Amino acid sequence: MKMLRFRSPSIRSLDQEVLCTIRLLDDSEISCSIQRDTKGQFLLDHVCNHYNLLERDYFGIRYVDPEKQRVTITHNTDTCSTAQQPYTMCFRVKFYPSEPMKIKEELTRYLLYLQLKRDIYHGRLLCPFAEAAYLGACIVQAELGDYDPEEHPSDYIRDFKLFPKQSLKLERKIIEIHKNELRGQCAAYAELNMLQRAHSLETYGVDPHPCKDFTGSTAFLGFTATGFVVFQGNKRIHLLKWNDVSKLKFEGKTFYVIGIQKEKKLVLTFHTSTPAACKHLWKCGVENQAFYKCAKSSQIKTVCSSNIFFKGSRFRYSVSSSHMSTYIQLGVCSCDLPTLISQQSLCISLLLEPC
């Protein structure tokens, strides 16, 4: 296993270096030695260089904290101060492309395909029976090629763990589609078909955050390229498009989404299990809104009134392109959000600026 050693500008002794393992989307692992002040950006760069990945905007590094909360490491966060030993991180898709068919690099599409396979298997990408069968058949076609009766016995689908609950009926339907509809498709084309079908589903790109609504009922919140979504069970009960979201706010364990719906002000209130989970939910919302609306960053308003943060801090969004340069002061709490990389020739840098 290839080992890389990252050093900050200051000279550190070897006894301050620790081993970090990064789990990739295909469950393989790479390792590197990091210093205690190594930033999250180093880890992301390390993985992207490993892949020779050019379209890096969509990806991130995350880990699971002791409370089972998935936490994404920001670009300027000290890795060792954030996670706990042993340092095991995961390379994952952070921002799902709104139009995956327009991704330029085949490698980027393949990594998104791997992420969606994981989402299907872990039950995050919910789909009706017909869609599940088609997605499963695309995966089988991409990995096995055309159906061959001499190579594939009647139960060959059982070797694929595609869904959390994989019934015999579903397996038979997958075989039928694999045999008849997908013949002749190369792996890349089958993966592309899978992306096209998956991206039309309501839970595409949703990383569900469990919480309680104002009635005490369990709900799952998520952020997509379209906007803010709320699910109860398998049913989506709210979709507030980013254009209609005017403010994201949290206070203690309470998370607020303030927006406009049918020309009336709308305030949605949710309660998380801990203040840390609420802060994480808020940060995810801010990052997603900024990423998917970077061309209109002047519309992004975020507020945190929790007293655990410095009041009166500012984020400064520096928006620059070949046509404009705009600086916007937004009142938000003093949290550590990542620099957002360019999207469609637009660059947004996020700088923390105290009053």
Side-chain angles (χ1 to χ4, degrees):
M1 184 177 294
K2 187 176 181 180
M3 302 286 292
L4 294 184
R5 183 169 293 167
F6 295 123
R7 291 187 176 276
S8 60
S10 60
I11 299 176
R12 301 285 183 173
S13 60
L14 291 175
D15 61 353
Q16 290 181 301
E17 293 185 346
V18 293
L19 181 67
C20 178
T21 300
I22 306 173
R23 190 167 297 135
L24 305 179
L25 284 162
D26 60 358
D27 286 328
S28 63
E29 296 178 348
I30 58 176
S31 298
C32 60
S33 292
I34 60 174
Q35 294 179 326
R36 298 191 182 279
D37 58 354
T38 296
K39 305 299 183 183
Q41 188 65 46
F42 277 110
L43 296 180
L44 182 59
D45 288 343
H46 174 41
V47 178
C48 291
N49 292 336
H50 169 80
Y51 278 122
N52 195 24
L53 178 63
L54 299 179
E55 295 174 295
R56 304 183 178 194
D57 304 33
Y58 304 110
F59 302 92
I61 303 291
R62 71 186 186 195
Y63 67 94
V64 179
D65 68 15
E67 296 181 354
K68 307 301 181 183
Q69 175 70 59
R70 290 191 297 274
V71 180
T72 300
I73 298 177
T74 57
H75 77 293
N76 58 353
T77 301
D78 290 345
T79 302
C80 296
S81 66
T82 304
Q84 295 184 345
Q85 294 196 50
Y87 297 111
T88 301
M89 312 290 178
C90 296
F91 174 75
R92 298 291 184 261
V93 173
K94 183 177 181 180
F95 302 113
Y96 288 68
S98 58
E99 297 181 89
M101 306 300 289
K102 293 185 178 181
I103 294 174
K104 296 179 181 179
E105 298 288 326
E106 184 175 344
L107 173 60
T108 310
R109 289 194 295 269
Y110 176 66
L111 294 175
L112 177 60
Y113 160 78
L114 292 179
Q115 178 68 66
L116 290 172
K117 275 183 60 181
R118 301 184 68 88
D119 293 346
I120 292 171
Y121 179 72
H122 291 287
R124 289 189 292 270
L125 185 63
L126 304 178
C127 41
F129 179 85
E131 299 293 336
Y134 186 84
L135 294 176
C138 287
I139 294 172
V140 173
Q141 179 70 23
E143 302 195 13
L144 291 184
D146 289 344
Y147 172 78
D148 186 340
E150 294 184 0
E151 294 185 8
H152 303 141
S154 59
D155 60 350
Y156 71 102
I157 294 297
R158 294 184 185 178
D159 294 335
F160 288 86
K161 302 301 180 182
L162 303 172
F163 298 89
K165 295 181 180 180
Q166 192 164 305
S167 66
L168 181 60
K169 180 181 178 181
L170 179 59
E171 290 180 352
R172 287 172 176 169
K173 187 62 177 179
I174 291 173
I175 292 174
E176 178 186 332
I177 297 174
H178 179 219
K179 283 182 178 181
N180 303 318
E181 296 185 31
L182 305 182
R183 176 170 293 278
Q185 293 186 10
C186 66
Y189 193 74
E191 292 163 7
L192 201 61
N193 279 336
M194 189 263 218
L195 297 186
Q196 186 175 24
R197 188 65 67 94
H199 121 277
S200 65
L201 298 173
E202 288 185 343
T203 50
Y204 169 77
V206 174
D207 187 10
H209 298 260
C211 63
K212 302 286 186 181
D213 65 13
F214 71 98
T215 68
S217 301
T218 299
F220 294 91
L221 313 186
F223 308 99
T224 71
T226 304
F228 167 75
V229 294
V230 182
F231 286 85
Q232 283 189 336
N234 296 340
K235 183 180 180 181
R236 189 178 72 186
I237 62 172
H238 278 297
L239 167 60
L240 196 61
K241 295 183 178 181
W242 288 127
N243 287 337
D244 298 326
V245 176
S246 57
K247 189 177 296 183
L248 300 174
K249 174 181 176 180
F250 81 93
E251 185 171 345
K253 296 190 290 185
T254 306
F255 177 68
Y256 304 90
V257 179
I258 303 169
I260 302 295
Q261 195 167 66
K262 297 181 180 179
E263 299 182 353
K264 294 183 180 180
K265 183 177 180 180
L266 175 70
V267 180
L268 299 175
T269 304
F270 303 93
H271 304 283
T272 60
S273 57
T274 65
C278 198
K279 173 189 172 183
H280 175 67
L281 174 61
W282 174 82
K283 287 177 67 176
C284 289
V286 171
E287 291 172 349
N288 276 271
Q289 187 180 24
F291 183 85
Y292 292 117
K293 287 188 63 181
C294 67
K296 300 179 180 179
S297 61
S298 60
Q299 299 174 10
I300 301 172
K301 297 179 181 179
T302 58
V303 174
C304 165
S305 56
S306 176
N307 59 10
I308 64 174
F309 298 106
F310 297 106
K311 294 184 178 180
S313 296
R314 295 288 184 269
F315 283 120
R316 184 177 67 198
Y317 282 76
S318 173
V319 184
S320 61
S321 69
S322 57
H323 303 291
M324 66 178 182
S325 180
T326 307
Y327 295 89
I328 303 134
Q329 297 286 344
L330 300 177
V332 295
C333 71
S334 177
C335 294
D336 212 8
L337 294 188
T339 298
L340 300 177
I341 316 299
S342 61
Q343 186 183 46
Q344 297 179 352
S345 302
L346 187 67
C347 180
I348 295 180
S349 62
L350 201 59
L351 303 175
L352 197 61
E353 182 179 75
C355 288

